[in-house]
Amino acid sequence: MKILIIDDEISIVEFLKKSLNAHFFLVESATDGERGAFLARTGGYDLILLDYALPKMSGVEVLEEIRKEKNHIPVIMLTVKSEIEDKQKAFNLGVDDYITKPFLFDELLLRIKALLKRPQKIKEIITRLGDLTFNVTAKCFRRGGVELYLTRREYCLLEYLLRRQNEVVSRGEILENVWDYNADPFSNSIETHINSLRRKLNQNNKKDLIHTFSGRGYKLALRKTR
């Protein structure tokens, strides 16, 4: 599952990314409403965490733009604004839930899971690349029909590469979206996990799907083309 955080408080974004990654969510972020609205329209997210007060566009303006496009993605307003008038405006525009800061992460996680379990939101989506399939609902990877048993980090890395399939993804993008903010950019952790994923994906002499582009990054694709 992929979550978008639109919040200009970097400390909150860092905390949420790290905490949500630990629960197998892919997380991307924007620090202003204009960028957040663009990502919400184009990023294919499963849920959005949205601050009320943002630079360039306010949270309610972002929400209004999302709903005008008939986009029913679940949105949780996460904000310090606690006045009933603010809550009423947000709910009238179509927000799904409203949590005031400071908040307990465990409570936020419960509300995220509750929204994602709504019957009308559940979709049996299968993403595939050749004989590699990812069941989004079951959170299960298979290759040639055989389930792959992955560590948490391998799972998040493979999901990110699959979402970006046929694109060269840089180490910096992987660090930002799969690792946390405290990751050492000079360690070989990414390379180690890429090699481990390759071994698991290529069992029984399967064709290599992860391609390395020296100085540029990695690409998940059926063939290595530039």
Side-chain angles (χ1 to χ4, degrees), residues 73-187:
I73 180 174
V75 177
I76 299 177
M77 192 73 79
L78 195 60
T79 175
V80 296
K81 296 177 76 67
S82 59
E83 297 297 322
I84 189 65
E85 293 83 1
D86 297 321
K87 294 180 180 181
Q88 184 176 16
K89 186 173 185 179
F91 279 110
N92 286 342
L93 288 172
V95 77
D96 295 273
D97 205 345
Y98 196 108
I99 300 177
T100 54
K101 300 173 183 176
F103 61 92
L104 295 174
F105 176 74
D106 287 345
E107 180 183 354
L108 174 63
L109 183 62
L110 287 173
R111 297 196 188 199
I112 288 172
K113 289 182 176 179
L115 283 176
L116 293 175
K117 284 180 180 177
R118 283 183 177 178
Q120 64 270 27
K121 302 298 181 184
I122 294 177
K123 300 176 182 177
E124 190 73 8
I125 300 174
I126 305 293
T127 302
R128 67 177 67 247
L129 178 68
D131 63 350
L132 174 66
T133 61
F134 175 47
N135 186 313
V136 176
T137 306
K139 295 186 177 182
C140 174
F141 283 97
R142 295 179 183 273
R143 186 157 195 202
V146 178
E147 185 173 353
L148 301 177
Y149 295 95
L150 308 174
T151 66
R152 182 184 67 83
R153 187 74 76 188
E154 290 169 349
Y155 171 96
C156 292
L157 177 57
L158 185 55
E159 183 179 3
Y160 182 67
L161 291 174
L162 187 59
R163 287 181 181 272
R164 297 283 303 274
Q165 63 177 274
N166 299 313
E167 297 179 39
V168 177
V169 181
S170 70
R171 292 182 83 261
E173 289 175 303
I174 293 173
L175 280 172
E176 181 179 352
N177 292 286
V178 181
W179 267 251
D180 58 53
Y181 277 84
N182 296 317
D184 180 0
F186 300 106
S187 77

Side-chain angles (χ1 to χ4, degrees), residues 197-212:
L197 266 182
R198 276 198 177 110
R199 287 194 296 272
K200 293 181 179 182
L201 285 168
N202 297 353
Q203 293 181 66
N204 301 317
N205 297 315
K206 291 284 188 180
K207 182 181 177 181
D208 198 6
L209 295 178
I210 301 177
H211 308 286
T212 301

